[in-house]
């Protein structure tokens, strides 16, 4: 009986999340109502409240799940090797492609700027760890470099999502790593 109940709970949460993302794609969170969400998801309000306190709770749970997945991906690679940095970045971008609808919405103008900042800080922490291990950088500048690369990468991902993911994750990973390691010189002939 409990597995049947678990499946129903998972299904209800999935429908709520999908319906919420559809609404968030169309308008800002402040213009979405629980009534509207429940109608779209075809559930009643009491069911919504049995899973979430409010719309912000639902949003934060979606965001936290994505952050956790990204953190696990980033934690499984050795950053000191350029090949692994490209593989890690490619895996992250593949994750974004697989979850493109949610990511596109969360990284859009209707998305939560706090989420975008969390993603940037997560990338910054992992970059910082790799740059500290690389002896070619002056310690004082590492933090600035890491912030610069993380911010630029987030904006590249936002642009990539907004423009329909035309490049493959591998192409984007190579572009991002080349920009991070070689800067503008990677574009010179």
């Amino acid at each position: 009986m409990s597995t049947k109940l678990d499946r129903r709970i998972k299904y209800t949460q999935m429908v709520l999340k999908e319906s919420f993302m559809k609404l968030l794609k169309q308008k800002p969170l402040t213009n979405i109502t629980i009534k509207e969400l429940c109608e779209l998801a075809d559930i009643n309000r009491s069911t919504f409240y049995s899973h979430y306190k409010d719309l912000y709770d639902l949003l934060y749970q979606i965001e936290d799940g994505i952050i956790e997945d990204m953190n696990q991906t980033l934690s499984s690679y050795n950053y000191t090797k350029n090949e692994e940095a490209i593989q890690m970045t490619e895996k992250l971008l593949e994750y974004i492609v697989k979850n493109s609808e949610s990511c596109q919405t969360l990284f859009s103008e209707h998305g939560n700027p706090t989420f975008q900042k969390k993603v940037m800080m997560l990338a910054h922490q992992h970059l910082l760890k790799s740059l500290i291990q690389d002896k070619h950088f002056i310690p004082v500048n590492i933090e600035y470099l890491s912030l610069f690369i993380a911010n630029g990468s987030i904006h590249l991902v936002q642009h990539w999502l907004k423009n329909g993911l035309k490049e493959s994750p591998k192409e984007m990973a190579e572009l991002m790593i080349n920009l991070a390691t070689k800067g503008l010189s990677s574009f010179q002939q």
Side-chain angles (χ1 to χ4, degrees), residues 103-166:
C103 288
Q104 191 169 19
T105 302
L106 293 171
F107 281 110
S108 75
E109 65 274 2
H110 295 306
N112 181 1
T114 305
F115 168 72
Q116 295 168 14
K117 189 171 187 105
K118 283 181 190 176
V119 170
M120 197 271 302
M121 291 312 294
L122 177 69
H124 169 65
Q125 289 169 351
H126 286 275
L127 270 168
L128 200 53
K129 189 169 29 171
S130 73
L131 293 172
I132 287 170
Q133 293 174 2
D134 190 335
K135 304 297 182 219
H136 293 96
F137 296 103
I138 301 166
V140 172
N141 296 329
I142 289 176
E143 188 168 347
Y144 290 113
L145 178 61
S146 175
L147 283 169
F148 182 79
I149 293 168
N151 257 310
S153 297
I154 295 294
H155 287 286
L156 280 175
V157 168
Q158 286 174 319
H159 184 77
W160 184 53
L161 283 164
K162 191 175 184 179
N163 290 315
L165 306 166
K166 292 176 186 162

Side-chain angles (χ1 to χ4, degrees), residues 1 24 35 37 41 43 48 65 73 79 87 93 97 99 121 149 159:
M1 181 71 181
L24 193 59
K35 179 183 178 193
L37 173 61
I43 62 159
F48 173 85
T73 300
Y79 308 106
Q87 289 173 352
L93 295 171
V97 168
N99 298 282
M121 291 312 294
I149 293 168
H159 184 77

